[in-house]
Amino acid sequence: MADVKITVRPNGPYRVEGPFTLVDAEGKEWTLPEGKPWVSLCRCGASVNKPFCDGTHSKIGFQAAEAAVRAEEGSAGFDVKI
């Protein structure tokens, strides 16, 4: 199986690259844009094109939870292992 890469964009969407299937809560597959090697998934909840990002996060001043925690705690970052 080919690699799938998920990148958390700072105060923005999740960018998903590689071959994958996106399925909703009812098991229905989303149609992904043809010929596009990646998609960005909304994280702010304000996109009118959910589950895909439409850039609204930058208009509403979305601050991701991990950024808010880092700013409050004064931490330089964190590690996530899956």
Side-chain angles (χ1 to χ4, degrees):
M1 181 174 188
D3 290 332
V4 174
K5 178 181 176 184
I6 302 173
T7 305
V8 179
R9 307 285 300 210
N11 295 321
Y14 294 116
R15 183 173 175 155
V16 184
E17 301 174 72
F20 65 93
T21 303
L22 183 61
V23 181
D24 71 12
E26 297 174 356
K28 178 183 159 202
E29 279 190 31
W30 284 89
T31 302
L32 301 174
E34 280 191 45
K36 193 172 179 182
W38 54 268
V39 297
S40 292
L41 299 177
C42 177
R43 199 161 57 126
C44 73
S47 173
V48 296
N49 194 28
K50 290 181 193 88
F52 305 104
C53 174
D54 67 1
T56 300
H57 60 275
S58 61
K59 296 174 187 155
I60 64 169
F62 173 70
Q63 186 176 18
E66 68 275 7
V69 170
R70 261 198 317 269
E72 184 176 311
E73 294 178 355
S75 172
F78 58 94
D79 293 324
V80 176
K81 295 183 183 172
I82 298 177

